[in-house]
Each structure stands twice: as structure tokens, then as C-alpha cells.
Amino acid sequence: MIERGHHDMGGLPAGKVRRSEHAYDDWELRVDALMMLLIGVVGESRRMTVDELRKNVEALAPADYDKMGYYDRWVISLTQTMIQRGVITTDELARKLEQVRGLSPISRRKRTRRR
Amino acid sequence: MKQAAGRYEPYSYFQLMEVSLRELLVEKGIVTEDAIAGAMAAMRERGPERGAAMVARAWTDPAYKARVLENGSRAAEALGFEVPGLKLIVVENTPQTHNVIVCTLCSCYPRMLLGLPPEWYKSRPYRSRVVREPRKVLAEFGTQIPTKVRIRVHDSNADMRYMVLPMRPAGTEGWDEARLAGLVTRDCLIGVAVPKIPKNAKPRKS
Amino acid sequence: MTLEKLGTVPLYSIGDRVRVRDAAPLGHIRTPFYIRGHAGVVERICGAFPNPEELAQQRDGLPAQPLYRVRFRQQDVWPGYRGNPADVIELEIFQHWIEA
């Protein structure tokens, strides 16, 4: 129903709470850190608001919203926001994705410093 | 990519996106790898033990308790915790009232004090159901709130963030702050649990 | 931002009975669907904040809007609610979401 955002779920029926705990992978912590920097909570890199982050998460198709992990949603939202803000272009992103994807597994492993 | 030695799994689309976004932003001088590392390190430092320290101090110092209930952020700063931008409201459990926190719209949580929220807090079942049937959801956490106790559910839907000040358990007379803080888990600060003295705790002088 | 700094005089006071507008617009909204159309009591005035609906659209959200914590009885919000009649749910409602 279009009148109610898929994220706006207070009071809707749902199953039992799965008390899952999750040790965050480094890439997820990097997404979190990037968010903090880009919304300007810390540092000098403010380029967006947390409201845009939320808006772009809410814009995900319901089936994707449900299937995606939390930081999956955030990284898509951050990237969409950067495109909307003109910080990056779709074409730049396409070329970078190709470049990153085209590297061998060993090179890909080296691209991310252990922290 | 899983970092386990010898195990390679292909990047997910989302992991590829993270690498790509980060590299583009670094190339454009918008962020640096050091700043990202710094923000990650800062988040690792935050955790529920900070909230627990505030609770333990509030339990032992009535003047501090008043400060906590008046302005949670300033009370956090008074213990040396930097919480830029956090607007914290602390809500007190009493024998008549139990508090529980949620963000139905996303996952708002007092991250700048307590660190990252648990996965279940961000999940559909919790966000959907705790506003409507809090006692049932709390029971799924093993927490029984009698019907005669009033429940206040707080939906952090806008700018404020919330933390519960649980009741101090009986049998903790004379305990020092560190020992008291050990009773206060993250789940107590969210309101899905209450502090309990471990069954095998030996009585000891403190 | 404090109300004093902005010279904003909030329309409502602690203890006032207020009703949330029963609207379903588009865009980014921080007033949950489940509370729209319901009436509650102002528990506190949180201050004034830029409008998140506008911030989400790359606008500055000014002038800042008074934000209220409003307390609702669960039995008023949910049909067939079973619990303590004194059970409540408390949310932050922006002034422009309160019915005149």
C-alpha cells in the first residue's frame, strides 16, 4: 500500500524476535565509519544528512529491503546519495565497479587494509 | 571478502560497492583512509559499559541520578564520555513502571554512547511488535513484566535518543560502582532485560 | 537548537491534549503511520529542530520546528490492546504534525 512506507512497520504483525548477535565484518564497520564522516558527525567530510541516508534506505524496493542486510542497505543508500548530491557520477561508479570487480581475488584481498 | 586465511569468497555486490564508493571518495579527497580508520577505532571504544557506568553512579549518588534524568547527554559528559550531537533522554524504571526503547522506522539508538545496536533491535519482528505487544516481546527475551506494572514504550522516531535507568536489584547493598556496573547489560539499557544478580555470586565484602 | 535562540514560541505546552494529523503524504516522514490520527498528552517540549522531511530533500529544513514528546495510551492506539490500562507509548511529534 503506497500510503505506508515499507519501513514504517510499527504495529504490523511479525514473527518472534530472533535474538541474533552479529560480529560486524570490517567492511560493515567501514560503511558505518563512512556514514559518520559523510553526515559530518566527526571530521570535515560532511556531504549529506542522515535524513538523506534514511530517505534512500526507505526508497529501496520492499523485497530488497527485506532481503538485504543492514549495512547492505546503508552502502546502497550512501552511494545513491553521493550520486544525487553530484559528488560522484553514475559513470564514475560504473567504471570503478568494473575496475574493482575485474581484479583477481588476491589483488582484491590486498585492496582492503586490515584494521 | 572473508578474511579467513586460505578462504576466498567472492565479494557481494554490496562489498564491491563499499570498496568502489570508498576508493572514489578517497580519490576525490573527500575522505581519507586514516579518517575512516579513526572513525572505526572510535566506534570500537564505545559500548554499553559506558551506560552501565552511568547507571552504577546514579544508583550510588542521588545528585548524579538527578543529573542523568535531567539531561542524559550532559550526565554522560560528566563521566568523561564524549557524545557529540547526542540528545539523550534517560527513563527510569520503578516498581510501578518499566521502560523499553525501540525505533520502529529504522534503528535509532544512542550509538555515540553505547556503540552499535544489536541485530535484533534493527529487525522487523522487534520494530513491528514491541510497540503493540511489549509484554509478549519482553517475555521472548525471558523478561516477565507483570500486568500491574505499567509499561512505557519509547519510539525514538525523531531527534532524541533513549536509555533505560534500571532499578537497582535487592541484595547489592554495599557493592562498589564497578561491581554494580557489571550487572547492567546492554539489554537492560534497552529495556528488554533487568539486572540480575548471578545465581552463583558469592556474598563478599566490598 | 533551543526555542529561546530561535525566538520560536511553541504552540503547545506540557499537559496539553493534542491529536496527530491523519495524513499520508509522500517523501521522507518521521511520524510513524500507526500514530496518525491519535490523541495524546504533551509530556515535554524537546526543543526546535530542522524539519527532517526537508533535510531529506537537500533543503535546510528551517525554520526549526518545535518537537514535542507526546504520550499516548496504548489502549487508545491499538484495537483490542491487552495489558495495563496505564500502559503508554511515547513518541516525538513535530508541531506541524499536530492538528490545529
Side-chain angles (χ1 to χ4, degrees), chain B residues 87 89 104-106 108 131-132 134-135 147-160 162, chain C residues 29-30 32 34 43-44 46 49 67 69 71 74 78-79 81 83-84 86-92 94:
Chain B
K87 298 163 192 59
I89 293 179
T104 61
L105 295 174
C106 49
C108 300
V131 287
R132 186 166 194 159
R135 269 183 199 75
T147 310
K148 64 173 156 64
V149 172
R150 171 179 78 143
I151 292 190
R152 292 172 72 193
V153 181
H154 306 272
D155 190 353
S156 23
N157 62 303
D159 290 81
M160 315 307 289
Y162 299 88
Chain C
I29 303 166
R30 292 302 282 184
Y34 70 83
E43 183 256 358
R44 81 180 71 184
C46 302
F49 299 89
L67 180 67
R69 291 199 83 245
R71 175 176 292 163
Q74 291 277 49
W78 311 109
Y81 179 80
N84 186 328
D87 287 349
V88 294
I89 182 153
E90 303 181 18
L91 295 85
E92 297 151 49
F94 277 96

Side-chain angles (χ1 to χ4, degrees), chain A residues 6-22 24-27 29-38 41-42 44-45 47 54 58 65-66 68 70-76 78-79 82 87-88 92-93 96-97 99-101 105-106 108-109 111-115, chain B residues 1-6 8 10-25 27-28 30-37 39-40 43-44 46 84 104-108 111-112 116-120 122-129 131-132 137 140-142 158 161 186-187:
Chain A
H6 186 66
H7 66 288
D8 192 349
M9 57 181 73
L12 291 177
K16 276 188 144 67
V17 179
R18 282 182 54 226
R19 296 171 59 183
S20 44
E21 301 288 342
H22 176 111
Y24 293 105
D25 288 338
D26 279 358
W27 81 270
L29 296 172
R30 283 196 298 274
V31 174
D32 197 278
L34 210 46
M35 184 278 300
M36 300 272 278
L37 292 166
L38 291 173
V41 179
V42 290
E44 308 291 322
S45 305
R47 287 294 189 283
R54 294 180 185 137
E58 292 160 16
Y65 185 101
D66 290 340
M68 287 161 72
Y70 188 75
Y71 285 104
D72 299 342
R73 300 199 285 255
W74 273 30
V75 77
I76 296 303
L78 287 174
T79 310
M82 291 298 101
V87 173
I88 66 177
E92 284 171 335
L93 180 63
K96 176 59 75 173
L97 281 165
Q99 184 193 18
V100 172
R101 198 193 296 263
I106 294 191
R108 265 184 281 175
R109 192 168 204 245
R111 291 185 83 86
T112 52
R113 273 186 1 219
R114 267 197 184 276
R115 285 185 179 83
Chain B
M1 173 85 73
K2 299 278 194 254
Q3 299 283 322
Y8 292 90
Y11 277 147
S12 70
Y13 178 64
F14 309 106
Q15 289 169 308
L16 273 177
M17 192 66 69
E18 183 271 321
V19 175
S20 303
L21 177 64
R22 174 167 43 85
E23 290 196 358
L24 283 171
L25 293 176
E27 283 161 22
K28 290 167 181 288
I30 297 191
V31 296
T32 64
E33 293 281 359
D34 281 347
I36 294 170
M40 289 169 76
M43 187 55 81
R44 283 199 198 98
R46 301 183 184 109
T104 61
L105 295 174
C106 49
S107 63
C108 300
R111 298 157 37 100
M112 295 308 284
L116 300 180
E119 204 60 42
W120 56 259
K122 307 185 278 192
S123 72
R124 178 169 288 278
Y126 186 74
R127 287 163 53 190
S128 308
R129 292 176 53 222
V131 287
R132 186 166 194 159
V137 171
E140 287 166 22
F141 282 88
R161 299 289 177 268
R186 176 205 61 202
D187 287 3

Side-chain angles (χ1 to χ4, degrees), chain C residues 3-14:
Chain C
L3 294 157
E4 298 73 31
K5 280 207 193 99
L6 293 158
T8 306
V9 179
L11 289 175
Y12 308 104
S13 309
I14 294 174

Side-chain angles (χ1 to χ4, degrees), chain C residues 5-91:
Chain C
K5 280 207 193 99
L6 293 158
T8 306
V9 179
L11 289 175
Y12 308 104
S13 309
I14 294 174
D16 282 355
R17 187 168 171 78
V18 297
R19 182 176 297 274
V20 180
R21 283 165 50 203
D22 191 10
L26 301 178
H28 173 68
I29 303 166
R30 292 302 282 184
T31 305
F33 193 86
Y34 70 83
I35 209 64
R36 298 184 201 164
H38 289 290
V41 175
V42 176
E43 183 256 358
R44 81 180 71 184
I45 305 170
C46 302
F49 299 89
N51 185 346
E53 297 160 6
E54 289 292 286
L55 289 170
Q57 311 299 344
Q58 300 183 26
R59 295 191 286 266
D60 66 12
L62 299 176
Q65 288 297 307
L67 180 67
Y68 303 90
R69 291 199 83 245
V70 181
R71 175 176 292 163
F72 303 82
R73 294 191 314 174
Q74 291 277 49
Q75 62 185 16
D76 292 341
V77 176
W78 311 109
Y81 179 80
R82 289 210 216 103
N84 186 328
D87 287 349
V88 294
I89 182 153
E90 303 181 18
L91 295 85

Side-chain angles (χ1 to χ4, degrees), chain B residues 54 64 67-68 70-81 83 86-88, chain C residues 2:
Chain B
M54 291 174 65
Y64 184 73
R67 293 176 74 177
V68 164
E70 161 85 34
N71 186 319
S73 304
R74 290 213 207 99
E77 286 161 358
L79 291 192
F81 304 132
V83 287
L86 176 66
K87 298 163 192 59
L88 183 67
Chain C
T2 64

